[in-house]
Amino acid sequence: MFPILGRVMQEDTDVSQFMMCKSKSDLKQYGGKQINYEKENRGLYQSALNKHYPNAEYSDIWVIEGIHDLCNEVLDYNRFISSNLYHILNELYDLCEWIIMWYGGEFDNLQEVCTKEELMDIVKHCIGAPCCEIYVRAK
């Protein structure tokens, strides 16, 4: 069981750290909350979905909170495999239809990956980079 990290997202949330995924599973133990399109960040969620999954149904979409804390916990890419970030991504990859993650400026240009190994490799190398920016779309 993983602790819920981070803060509740409000309309003015800093969107430079973000993870969205689609899953019929309950992702609360990973810091997830289902998107409420009547409330917070409706425009952001719809923009990201329209950009990367234009035909996706708007049901079973989750936001994983606390990405900043999860990335900061790693600090050194040699610790990635033992981190909460690694374990959460490892499990989410199997539970989710797709994952969008960005830790940086924009979500427009995400690198697409097709396997769990590619996802983990990209995130590990991004964590180890001086600017620590992650832009990835899995599955």
Side-chain angles (χ1 to χ4, degrees), residues 98-138:
W98 51 257
I99 299 169
I100 298 172
M101 179 180 178
W102 67 92
Y103 187 78
E106 295 291 328
F107 62 83
D108 285 339
N109 298 313
L110 303 180
Q111 183 171 352
E112 190 166 346
V113 298
C114 298
T115 67
K116 186 188 292 189
E117 292 74 24
E118 284 180 296
L119 173 63
M120 297 307 197
D121 190 51
I122 287 171
V123 172
K124 179 180 178 178
H125 287 293
C126 289
I127 291 282
C131 61
C132 187
E133 292 185 349
I134 303 167
Y135 302 100
V136 67
R137 173 181 135 171

Side-chain angles (χ1 to χ4, degrees), residues 47-62:
S47 293
L49 288 173
N50 289 339
K51 170 75 177 171
H52 297 289
Y53 296 98
N55 299 318
E57 293 183 25
Y58 283 12
S59 60
D60 302 319
I61 308 293
W62 293 81

Side-chain angles (χ1 to χ4, degrees), residues 39-91:
K39 293 187 179 180
E40 69 274 332
N41 290 319
R42 179 180 178 167
L44 171 67
Y45 300 146
Q46 288 177 335
S47 293
L49 288 173
N50 289 339
K51 170 75 177 171
H52 297 289
Y53 296 98
N55 299 318
E57 293 183 25
Y58 283 12
S59 60
D60 302 319
I61 308 293
W62 293 81
V63 172
I64 307 300
E65 298 182 324
I67 297 305
H68 178 72
D69 295 335
L70 290 169
C71 289
N72 271 351
E73 171 203 18
V74 180
L75 297 176
D76 172 0
Y77 96 167
N78 292 319
R79 293 182 45 210
F80 177 62
I81 291 177
S82 63
S83 70
N84 280 334
L85 178 61
Y86 176 87
H87 294 289
I88 288 172
L89 286 173
N90 189 46
E91 292 186 26

